[in-house]
């Protein structure tokens, strides 16, 4: 089945995945056509550097090629976003160590009061991820969308405000409330004391 966006014919995710299983290189072209711009925006929001963002997107497509098969992503868009985000964060760490730039620093500084330091989180990242995922299911769809746009996709507050058709100040307040809620959940789970001890 084909979807039609602005007159361009785009394959359904299932057909793209089938191309991967057939080892048909058209799979990469279709992936780029459908999700290239989205992946670039996720990477750009973290790195703020064109060349690095493009490189991370290319690396994420290579990762898709080497992972599918045997992997069959339940949601190709979300899986791909996670891959490009992780690759971009690793690139950011490399660049940050060289003090080249700091595109994601603002988002990290916003979260540092409620999320344990990254150095100690590495040991229990899976547990932390489960707690945050469970907590996100308790907030409204709008709050979850705003939180993920800011801290998963790395969008600026004013970009989120435009998407949500709200004032930037209101989005900032909602993010502040959400961070405090997350901090309380992490305290209740013993995550913050454990990592800050």
């Amino acid at each position: 089945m084909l979807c039609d966006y602005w007159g361009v014919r785009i394959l359904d995710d299932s057909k793209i995945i089938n191309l991967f299983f057939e080892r048909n290189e058209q799979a990469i072209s279709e992936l780029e056509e459908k999700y290239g711009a989205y992946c670039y925006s996720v990477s750009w929001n973290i790195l703020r550097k064109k060349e690095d963002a493009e490189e991370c997107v290319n690396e994420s497509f290579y990762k898709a090629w080497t992972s599918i098969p045997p992997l069959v992503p339940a949601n190709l868009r979300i899986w791909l976003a996670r891959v490009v985000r992780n690759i971009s964060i690793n690139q950011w760490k490399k660049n940050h160590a060289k003090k080249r730039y700091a595109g994601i620093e603002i988002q990290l500084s916003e979260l540092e009061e409620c999320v344990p330091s990254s150095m100690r989180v590495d040991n229990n990242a899976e547990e932390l991820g489960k707690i945050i995922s469970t907590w996100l299911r308790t907030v409204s769809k709008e709050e979850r969308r705003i939180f993920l746009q800011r801290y998963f996709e790395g969008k600026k507050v004013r970009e989120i405000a435009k998407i949500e058709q709200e004032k930037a100040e209101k989005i900032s307040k909602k993010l502040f409330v959400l961070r405090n809620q997350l901090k309380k959940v992490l305290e209740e789970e013993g995550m913050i004391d454990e990592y800050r001890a």
Side-chain angles (χ1 to χ4, degrees):
M1 185 180 190
L2 295 170
C3 304
D4 192 353
Y5 296 105
W6 303 286
V8 178
R9 303 297 275 175
I10 306 286
L11 284 181
D12 282 346
D13 288 355
S14 60
K15 293 216 181 271
I16 295 174
I17 290 169
N18 285 342
L19 289 172
F20 277 103
F21 271 81
E22 293 166 5
R23 305 318 289 156
N24 185 331
E25 291 182 11
Q26 186 188 347
I28 299 296
S29 301
E30 296 293 343
L31 202 62
E32 185 172 12
E33 180 71 33
K34 189 168 185 180
Y35 294 120
Y38 173 70
C39 288
Y40 178 82
S41 73
V42 169
S43 187
W44 165 258
N45 287 335
I46 293 167
L47 296 168
R48 303 285 176 190
K49 185 161 183 171
K50 183 178 184 285
E51 298 80 13
D52 284 356
E54 288 172 349
E55 188 179 322
C56 289
V57 171
N58 288 335
E59 193 176 332
S60 71
F61 290 166
Y62 176 74
K63 175 78 172 171
W65 182 257
T66 58
S67 301
I68 309 169
L71 179 74
V72 182
N75 184 314
L76 185 59
R77 182 178 186 266
I78 290 172
W79 179 83
L80 201 55
R82 188 177 297 124
V83 169
V84 75
R85 182 177 184 272
N86 290 341
I87 291 169
S88 299
I89 287 172
N90 288 338
Q91 182 63 48
W92 176 83
K93 287 176 182 175
K94 230 188 284 183
N95 293 341
H96 186 67
K98 297 175 188 172
K99 304 214 183 287
R100 284 172 60 196
Y101 58 86
I104 199 173
E105 277 185 330
I106 294 170
Q107 295 148 43
L108 292 177
S109 67
E110 287 176 9
L111 285 174
E112 71 181 0
E113 280 303 309
C114 59
V115 177
S117 71
S118 59
M119 195 172 169
R120 295 173 122 184
V121 156
D122 289 342
N123 301 329
N124 276 324
E126 190 176 333
E127 182 186 352
L128 178 63
K130 284 179 183 174
I131 292 169
I132 293 173
S133 291
T134 301
W135 167 73
L136 279 171
R137 286 192 284 272
T138 68
V139 301
S140 72
K141 285 183 182 178
E142 181 204 11
E143 290 170 327
R144 184 172 29 224
R145 201 170 53 239
I146 289 169
F147 188 89
L148 290 174
Q149 285 180 84
R150 180 66 177 146
Y151 302 114
F152 184 75
E153 296 178 7
K155 290 181 178 160
K156 293 181 178 179
V157 170
R158 66 174 175 267
E159 291 176 288
I160 300 168
K162 190 175 179 182
I163 292 165
E164 298 295 324
Q165 299 180 339
E166 290 194 33
K167 291 185 177 179
E169 296 79 21
K170 193 169 182 184
I171 296 295
S172 292
K173 285 178 186 173
K174 286 181 179 180
L175 287 167
F176 176 76
V177 169
L178 288 168
R179 288 194 305 271
N180 283 336
Q181 288 176 12
L182 176 58
K183 180 181 179 181
K184 187 178 178 188
V185 167
L186 292 173
E187 284 172 347
E188 287 169 359
E189 293 290 335
M191 296 292 285
I192 291 180
D193 290 339
E194 178 185 341
Y195 290 116
R196 291 187 177 176

